[in-house]
Amino acid sequence: MTASSPTVLAHVAWMLRGSFEDLAVEALGYILNGSDSATEALEEVLREGGADVSPIRLVQTQAVEETGATPDLACLDQDGETHVLIEAKFDAMLTKNQPVQYLRHLPKDRSSVLLVVAPKRRLVPLWAEMKKLVLDSGDFTIERESTTEGLVNASVSDRSALSLVSWEHLLHKLAMRAEEEVEEGTLRSIAELKGVVEYEALNAFQAPSSDRVELDELNRQRFKDLIDGTIAEGKREKWISTDGFGPGGGTTGYVRYFAIGEVPVWFGYDLRLWEAYGGPLWVGFQMLAQQNIGTVREGLRRLCAKRPDDFFYDVPAWSHKRDYIRNEMPARGELPMMQEALLVQLREIADSLSDVKVPSTDASD
């Protein structure tokens, strides 16, 4: 079950077309364009990061640059020149343009900044990833790097900087300045956006990658909720039977055992598979299905032809040679959207296995 929503906007955000990033970008642009105190607070954050930028006069959202890159927010100075680019992140991975192509677009004749806004949980890994991309490009350096609470920054050229700030820190600064100026409308807008950020933090996942196999307790619980919710929906739709089956996994992950027709399987995450083969979520086969794997493979033949990269045969696993099916997990997403994406894949597997016959046995692996 997802946590209760702190604001109405947060409650409906996951239902809206697009993503939390799109929603937050438009909301932040609205706040900055409608309030001098908000833009002044943003300038303070940039100066806190060591950038001496000129005042911001206009903020454009989703402005397409000459290179084809589309930063979330482009801030223009008094000359109408873009001198600050802002990229909003929640759990989406960096694109091919981020951050290097955006840094290349910054002006060379004035102080400029690329500011990336992300949840505080992502600051350390995201900064490490951006630093590597910047240095690997050969076009920029990383100098005068500094870290404060909620803010990391470095100079990348004589007049350009790269900064990473948490949503929490940025919105706190905006709210403080709006409160000083008694801007009640701005404060309400900031509170709505803050609600979206808080809701996302409670209900979304870090973007999965093949090399992230360590999960803290909060993310372990999120995976458990996602797996349990997916199985519960499959049971409600009557293509999953959990009679006689329970959860498992231990220290290496979390899985749910169940049956699709006569085929006993499991679904969940396993850190060993994640590390070895990429992707956190898998369907595996219990002992009876594995002993009849030729019949099972025949049932899955057409699906394998459709998704060949997701099928792994005779994996020299930890105690047996086993078959596994990888389930792609969206790189971004809130719990309901991610659950539906997984259900689409599991329904395909269930359809393929619905007519497969294997002998009955006790529900044990």
Side-chain angles (χ1 to χ4, degrees), residues 1-61:
M1 178 179 293
T2 58
S4 59
S5 308
T7 65
V8 171
L9 183 60
H11 176 70
V12 302
W14 70 268
M15 305 176 194
L16 300 178
R17 193 173 181 180
S19 66
F20 270 88
E21 282 90 351
D22 296 334
L23 184 71
V25 164
E26 295 300 329
L28 183 58
Y30 175 82
I31 292 167
L32 293 172
N33 277 324
S35 168
D36 289 339
S37 70
T39 54
E40 289 168 3
L42 173 60
E43 292 163 8
E44 286 182 11
V45 170
L46 298 175
R47 286 194 291 271
E48 186 182 350
D52 185 23
V53 296
S54 56
I56 295 170
R57 299 304 184 203
L58 179 66
V59 178
Q60 297 177 335
T61 61

Side-chain angles (χ1 to χ4, degrees), residues 143-155:
E143 298 179 356
R144 297 189 294 278
E145 184 177 349
S146 65
T147 302
T148 58
E149 183 64 29
L151 180 66
V152 192
N153 67 276
S155 297

